[in-house]
Amino acid sequence: MKKFIIFNWKMNLSSLSRVRKLAELTQKYAEKSQNKAEIVIAPSFVHLSDLLKSRKSKSKVALGAQDVFWANPPAGGGAYTGEISAKMLKNLDVEYVVIGHSERRQWLGETDEMVNKKVLAAFKAGLKVILCVGEPTQSAGQRGLKHRTTRKRNIGWAKNYVQKQLERDLKNIPLNSRLIIAYEPIWAIGTGRTDTPENAAETARLIKQTLNSKFFILTPRVLYGGSVNSRNIAGFLKRPEIDGALIGGASLKKSEVKKILETTANL
Ligand code: PGA
């Protein structure tokens, strides 16, 4: 099966010309990736429309939004100044939406209940959902350790955290929904520290089991995210449990994008 690579540009790239340039280059490198990967760029809302219009008809790169709001006017009411509905994205021809990114959960107070409402609204509008889950840094107690200096992680605690998050975020989703999960330990995002491929694969396996048994999703795709770059991506993608990567910082550097897509194609 093709690996899945999501480039999350976050709130970077404020100039439209830089946005267009990076999208063009990503598209060019994607063409050379010999159809070995499905590639999604998630730019900011304000650049989605421009990139959709300028996209070539046979583009190898899909576009995704970085968030969505849960109400859908007119039934959901229109009184949500500043928000973007799932129907608005769908009508624009946006294919994917990232929901529950830890930066939104941590800094903008997004709760599991809000994430769940967004997931349901996105499915209802026919968008493909990329749900982000992942555990925060563990305290020494959570790691079952007495000494703060020990860096060992308690993988059991992390898996339990992620499982609970999935159960809350996916409540009442339609049977056999097509869903992509990005497993991103919060301490690994933007820090230069990654999980080990072994731990990430073990958590990905648990996520797949939970999606199979609790949500009847038969072919879920689970990606790893958190400081992925051209040097470490192969270690993750070589694991059969890991279906791709969600990449932030490295997606902004053209040389990194080139190497990431070459590595993916040569796996
Ligand atoms: P990062 O971001 O690759 O910069 O750690 C990952 C993400 O977007 O969650």
Side-chain angles (χ1 to χ4, degrees):
M1 217 203 270
K2 283 185 195 176
K3 294 288 183 185
F4 213 94
I5 305 291
I6 301 172
F7 292 126
N8 176 18
W9 288 355
K10 311 194 184 194
M11 204 182 73
N12 295 293
L13 303 171
S14 43
S15 115
L16 183 57
S17 61
R18 284 190 61 205
V19 165
R20 285 180 178 159
K21 188 90 204 134
L22 187 59
E24 260 170 46
L25 283 171
T26 304
Q27 165 71 36
K28 189 174 116 192
Y29 302 141
E31 274 161 21
K32 291 188 181 151
S33 73
Q34 301 152 354
N35 290 330
K36 291 272 183 67
E38 285 184 55
I39 299 152
V40 180
I41 295 178
S44 78
F45 279 129
V46 292
H47 297 132
L48 267 170
S49 177
D50 186 82
L51 292 187
L52 280 159
K53 273 191 218 134
S54 58
R55 205 162 60 127
K56 291 188 202 143
S57 57
K58 285 191 185 142
S59 176
K60 298 259 181 280
V61 178
L63 285 162
Q66 296 176 15
D67 186 33
V68 66
F69 192 60
W70 57 77
N72 258 327
Y80 295 99
T81 303
E83 295 296 346
I84 310 277
S85 75
K87 226 182 245 175
M88 287 173 178
L89 294 176
K90 187 69 188 170
N91 288 346
L92 204 62
D93 270 343
V94 172
E95 211 177 323
Y96 292 88
V97 60
V98 177
I99 298 179
H101 193 283
S102 70
E103 285 154 11
R104 301 194 59 80
R105 294 180 192 254
Q106 267 202 313
W107 301 332
L108 301 169
E110 201 159 287
T111 62
D112 284 319
E113 198 189 347
M114 290 155 83
V115 169
N116 178 239
K117 288 202 267 185
K118 292 180 177 194
V119 168
L120 295 178
F123 275 134
K124 195 164 172 208
L127 295 167
K128 294 176 186 160
V129 172
I130 301 159
L131 172 68
C132 300
V133 294
E135 81 282 4
T137 308
Q138 298 165 12
S139 69
Q142 284 157 341
R143 282 181 282 156
L145 300 169
K146 291 205 182 90
H147 304 293
R148 285 175 156 271
T149 47
T150 316
R151 293 183 73 102
K152 190 169 165 282
R153 287 205 306 124
N154 179 343
I155 179 85
W157 180 87
K159 287 201 301 190
N160 192 34
Y161 186 98
V162 169
Q163 188 160 15
K164 295 251 162 59
Q165 217 175 16
L166 284 174
E167 284 167 16
R168 290 190 291 258
D169 293 352
L170 297 176
K171 220 163 121 188
N172 299 329
I173 57 164
L175 277 183
N176 204 15
S177 303
R178 284 188 58 203
L179 181 67
I180 298 158
I181 301 287
Y183 167 58
E184 304 198 290
I186 297 176
W187 48 266
I189 298 176
T191 58
R193 286 174 56 206
T194 57
D195 204 345
T196 62
E198 293 70 33
N199 279 352
E202 195 177 325
T203 310
R205 200 175 319 122
L206 169 96
I207 292 173
K208 287 185 177 177
Q209 279 162 6
T210 306
L211 295 176
N212 287 164
S213 62
K214 299 222 156 103
F215 298 99
F216 307 104
I217 300 176
L218 304 178
T219 50
R221 301 175 89 181
V222 180
L223 322 181
Y224 170 77
S227 297
V228 174
N229 58 36
S230 63
R231 292 180 306 285
N232 59 31
I233 191 166
F236 293 102
L237 297 192
K238 276 185 187 157
R239 304 293 309 216
E241 300 89 339
I242 300 178
D243 301 303
L246 192 154
I247 303 167
S251 71
L252 301 167
K253 298 179 195 134
K254 54 185 186 199
S255 58
E256 277 291 287
V257 173
K258 183 168 185 274
K259 284 189 223 153
I260 284 168
L261 293 179
E262 277 169 4
T263 306
T264 308
N266 293 327
L267 277 177

